[in-house]
Amino acid sequence: MSLTRRLDRAVGLPAAYRLVDAALVGLLVAALAVCYATGMAPTGVAAVALAAFGLEFGVSRVVTDGLLRGLELADEAPPRLRRIAAEMAAELGVAEPSVVVDRESAGGMNVLGDGDRTVLVAAAPLAERLADAALRAVVAHELAHRSLGHLHRVPLRAAVTHTVGLAAFWLVALRHLPPQVAAVAGGVFLVAGVARSNDINFLLYVLASAGVVVLVQALAARASRLEECHADDVAVAATSATDFCTGLYAVGALGDADDAVAGGSPFGARRTRLERLTAEHPSIESRLARYGHVPDEVAEGAGVERPADD
């Protein structure tokens, strides 16, 4: 049984991901304490935390604002999708989202939030191919993240990872360098961490922290996986297990790296070892199993071609 399943059974989903977040806070405090104990000045300790959190939140805000401005030029969603989004928003008690269609995405769906504004972004293939019932369930899953407050925790976990990683970098190398050089190197580390979608940046981020950031990311990923399961449960309660599993499978089969429903590497059998450790979404197989389904049972109803096994 996976750690995600064990935590779910032991304390329930909301308590489980809050416990993981508490553990991350504990790591944050320990990392800053270690920096101080090994010779970093109090102002340096404060600067480490402020820089990590400020950079992550600043970049996240800029990216979100840019995406929202770009979506103003996107194609308006078809009436069917707008109607479904409005119905599910009312059922979940969230503000009715603006709904747009992304013609460039292969099959993803995402929800973006900026204060009181919510925007649901659906890939054209997904909006066109999914039947109403499955589409309702997928929309419900994304809006559930908004109703449960999950969107605000993502940059917090990333900032904790940056801080703990920078503390490890300090212990390994920075404390032995002149202060000015250490400050520049620390800044480069943080920039690489925030822009870690680039393979070179990610490699620098991992190596400089002696691999510590991977372990922190794995812990943060557990919280995210538990949140995904919580959103799954809300979607199932609002629709049905079969409808949700069908929609989830369809999203995963269409595949999109930026998808927020199934994740960038949705099928467990295809995940690399690193993805198994740090993926923020449980595998589709495990998510279906929570509701007594297997991929073969929902593949036909999903209305998409089944992915070939690699």
Side-chain angles (χ1 to χ4, degrees):
M1 184 186 299
S2 70
L3 177 59
T4 303
R5 182 72 64 86
R6 289 197 294 269
L7 286 169
D8 180 7
R9 290 190 174 184
V11 296
L13 291 170
Y17 56 73
R18 290 184 183 118
L19 282 173
V20 177
D21 282 338
L24 287 169
V25 172
L27 281 177
L28 172 66
V29 173
L32 295 175
V34 167
C35 287
Y36 177 72
T38 53
M40 186 180 290
T43 53
V45 174
V48 165
L50 290 173
F53 279 81
L55 186 60
E56 181 64 38
F57 274 87
V59 170
S60 296
R61 181 60 182 268
V62 169
V63 170
T64 299
D65 288 347
L67 288 172
L68 291 174
R69 286 196 299 270
L71 292 175
E72 294 175 357
L73 303 176
D75 295 341
E76 187 177 55
R80 178 176 76 109
L81 180 55
R82 296 202 306 273
R83 171 180 55 79
I84 288 173
E87 291 171 355
M88 297 316 304
E91 183 156 348
L92 297 179
V94 298
E96 181 178 336
S98 303
V99 188
V100 296
V101 167
D102 182 358
R103 298 289 174 188
E104 302 299 323
S105 174
M109 182 176 290
N110 288 271
V111 64
L112 300 173
D114 182 20
D116 295 330
R117 183 185 181 191
T118 302
V119 179
L120 185 72
V121 186
L126 193 66
E128 293 165 359
R129 297 183 190 182
L130 274 185
D132 280 11
L135 187 58
R136 282 173 58 87
V138 172
V139 169
H141 170 91
E142 278 304 284
L143 293 180
H145 283 304
R146 183 67 164 160
S147 68
L148 296 169
H150 294 165
L151 301 183
H152 302 298
R153 297 189 177 99
V154 175
L156 282 170
R157 292 173 187 143
V160 170
T161 304
H162 302 331
T163 306
V164 176
L166 187 53
F169 192 20
W170 162 261
L171 285 175
V172 171
L174 295 184
R175 62 183 173 143
H176 304 298
L177 300 176
Q180 296 86 349
V181 177
V184 172
V188 171
F189 174 85
L190 289 177
V191 171
V194 172
R196 61 192 178 278
S197 57
N198 178 292
D199 290 341
I200 295 176
N201 287 348
F202 181 72
L203 182 61
L204 290 172
Y205 187 57
V206 172
L207 292 178
S209 70
V212 168
V213 291
V214 174
L215 300 178
V216 183
Q217 281 183 327
L219 183 59
R222 290 297 166 183
S224 296
R225 292 185 194 188
L226 289 160
E227 287 178 342
E228 291 299 326
C229 291
H230 196 182
D232 289 352
D233 287 347
V234 171
V236 166
T239 56
S240 75
T242 299
D243 291 340
F244 173 71
C245 290
T246 301
L248 175 64
Y249 183 89
V251 176
L254 286 170
D256 186 80
D258 296 323
D259 171 60
V261 177
S265 181
F267 292 95
R270 300 177 173 192
R271 287 181 174 177
T272 65
R273 291 183 180 180
L274 181 60
E275 287 171 337
R276 291 172 189 170
L277 186 64
T278 61
E280 295 180 351
H281 293 70
S283 69
I284 283 182
E285 296 92 333
S286 67
R287 293 167 77 178
L288 297 184
R290 292 184 72 235
Y291 307 110
H293 289 282
V294 296
D296 286 343
E297 292 176 345
V298 298
E300 184 176 352
V304 296
E305 184 178 348
R306 181 170 182 173
D309 294 329
D310 294 331

mmCIF file of all heavy atoms in Angstrom, residues 11 28 46 64 90 116 129 134 159 165 206 240 257 301 310:
data_model
loop_
_atom_site.group_PDB
_atom_site.id
_atom_site.type_symbol
_atom_site.label_atom_id
_atom_site.label_comp_id
_atom_site.label_asym_id
_atom_site.label_seq_id
_atom_site.Cartn_x
_atom_site.Cartn_y
_atom_site.Cartn_z
ATOM 1 N N VAL A 11 -5.633 9.049 8.966
ATOM 2 C CA VAL A 11 -6.154 10.295 9.542
ATOM 3 C C VAL A 11 -7.147 11.015 8.644
ATOM 4 O O VAL A 11 -7.732 12.024 9.054
ATOM 5 C CB VAL A 11 -5.000 11.250 9.900
ATOM 6 C CG1 VAL A 11 -4.115 10.657 10.976
ATOM 7 C CG2 VAL A 11 -4.173 11.615 8.673
ATOM 8 N N LEU A 28 11.760 23.528 7.397
ATOM 9 C CA LEU A 28 12.138 24.923 7.154
ATOM 10 C C LEU A 28 12.823 25.515 8.388
ATOM 11 O O LEU A 28 13.902 26.118 8.285
ATOM 12 C CB LEU A 28 10.888 25.733 6.806
ATOM 13 C CG LEU A 28 11.049 27.245 6.703
ATOM 14 C CD1 LEU A 28 11.928 27.618 5.532
ATOM 15 C CD2 LEU A 28 9.687 27.924 6.594
ATOM 16 N N ALA A 46 17.689 35.481 7.792
ATOM 17 C CA ALA A 46 16.448 36.146 7.372
ATOM 18 C C ALA A 46 16.431 36.367 5.865
ATOM 19 O O ALA A 46 15.398 36.181 5.204
ATOM 20 C CB ALA A 46 16.295 37.478 8.107
ATOM 21 N N THR A 64 1.140 34.022 -13.197
ATOM 22 C CA THR A 64 -0.326 33.936 -13.161
ATOM 23 C C THR A 64 -0.957 35.141 -13.837
ATOM 24 O O THR A 64 -1.890 35.008 -14.634
ATOM 25 C CB THR A 64 -0.821 33.835 -11.709
ATOM 26 O OG1 THR A 64 -0.290 32.648 -11.110
ATOM 27 C CG2 THR A 64 -2.341 33.765 -11.663
ATOM 28 N N ALA A 90 -21.743 26.315 -8.973
ATOM 29 C CA ALA A 90 -22.855 26.517 -8.056
ATOM 30 C C ALA A 90 -22.957 25.363 -7.059
ATOM 31 O O ALA A 90 -23.199 25.580 -5.865
ATOM 32 C CB ALA A 90 -24.156 26.652 -8.842
ATOM 33 N N ASP A 116 -10.551 37.003 -6.277
ATOM 34 C CA ASP A 116 -11.904 36.472 -6.432
ATOM 35 C C ASP A 116 -12.159 35.918 -7.834
ATOM 36 O O ASP A 116 -13.223 35.375 -8.102
ATOM 37 C CB ASP A 116 -12.934 37.575 -6.139
ATOM 38 C CG ASP A 116 -12.882 38.026 -4.688
ATOM 39 O OD1 ASP A 116 -12.533 37.188 -3.832
ATOM 40 O OD2 ASP A 116 -13.174 39.207 -4.425
ATOM 41 N N ARG A 129 -14.432 16.198 -27.087
ATOM 42 C CA ARG A 129 -14.601 14.745 -27.129
ATOM 43 C C ARG A 129 -15.320 14.153 -25.928
ATOM 44 O O ARG A 129 -15.984 13.124 -26.048
ATOM 45 C CB ARG A 129 -13.227 14.074 -27.267
ATOM 46 C CG ARG A 129 -12.495 14.421 -28.546
ATOM 47 C CD ARG A 129 -11.189 13.663 -28.634
ATOM 48 N NE ARG A 129 -10.352 14.130 -29.730
ATOM 49 C CZ ARG A 129 -9.185 13.611 -30.056
ATOM 50 N NH1 ARG A 129 -8.708 12.592 -29.368
ATOM 51 N NH2 ARG A 129 -8.477 14.108 -31.059
ATOM 52 N N ALA A 134 -18.786 12.861 -18.059
ATOM 53 C CA ALA A 134 -17.358 12.819 -17.754
ATOM 54 C C ALA A 134 -16.770 14.218 -17.682
ATOM 55 O O ALA A 134 -15.915 14.503 -16.828
ATOM 56 C CB ALA A 134 -16.628 11.983 -18.802
ATOM 57 N N ALA A 159 8.632 27.220 -2.008
ATOM 58 C CA ALA A 159 9.533 28.125 -1.290
ATOM 59 C C ALA A 159 10.250 27.404 -0.156
ATOM 60 O O ALA A 159 11.434 27.664 0.108
ATOM 61 C CB ALA A 159 8.753 29.321 -0.749
ATOM 62 N N GLY A 165 16.918 23.617 0.418
ATOM 63 C CA GLY A 165 17.992 23.348 -0.536
ATOM 64 C C GLY A 165 19.129 24.336 -0.421
ATOM 65 O O GLY A 165 20.309 23.964 -0.491
ATOM 66 N N VAL A 206 19.642 20.447 -8.143
ATOM 67 C CA VAL A 206 19.802 19.195 -7.404
ATOM 68 C C VAL A 206 21.244 19.009 -6.938
ATOM 69 O O VAL A 206 21.502 18.691 -5.772
ATOM 70 C CB VAL A 206 19.361 18.003 -8.270
ATOM 71 C CG1 VAL A 206 19.704 16.673 -7.590
ATOM 72 C CG2 VAL A 206 17.867 18.076 -8.550
ATOM 73 N N SER A 240 -20.283 11.088 -10.159
ATOM 74 C CA SER A 240 -20.277 9.660 -9.822
ATOM 75 C C SER A 240 -18.870 9.128 -10.030
ATOM 76 O O SER A 240 -18.062 9.739 -10.743
ATOM 77 C CB SER A 240 -21.262 8.875 -10.696
ATOM 78 O OG SER A 240 -20.746 8.700 -12.012
ATOM 79 N N ALA A 257 1.612 17.995 -20.815
ATOM 80 C CA ALA A 257 2.591 18.181 -19.737
ATOM 81 C C ALA A 257 2.111 19.147 -18.662
ATOM 82 O O ALA A 257 2.505 19.039 -17.499
ATOM 83 C CB ALA A 257 3.912 18.673 -20.324
ATOM 84 N N GLY A 301 -15.432 4.045 -22.643
ATOM 85 C CA GLY A 301 -16.315 5.181 -22.397
ATOM 86 C C GLY A 301 -15.607 6.520 -22.473
ATOM 87 O O GLY A 301 -16.243 7.559 -22.619
ATOM 88 N N ASP A 310 4.626 1.552 -23.426
ATOM 89 C CA ASP A 310 6.013 1.733 -23.849
ATOM 90 C C ASP A 310 6.863 0.594 -23.318
ATOM 91 O O ASP A 310 6.591 0.065 -22.271
ATOM 92 C CB ASP A 310 6.550 3.064 -23.338
ATOM 93 C CG ASP A 310 5.823 4.235 -23.989
ATOM 94 O OD1 ASP A 310 5.368 4.070 -25.134
ATOM 95 O OD2 ASP A 310 5.731 5.295 -23.343
#
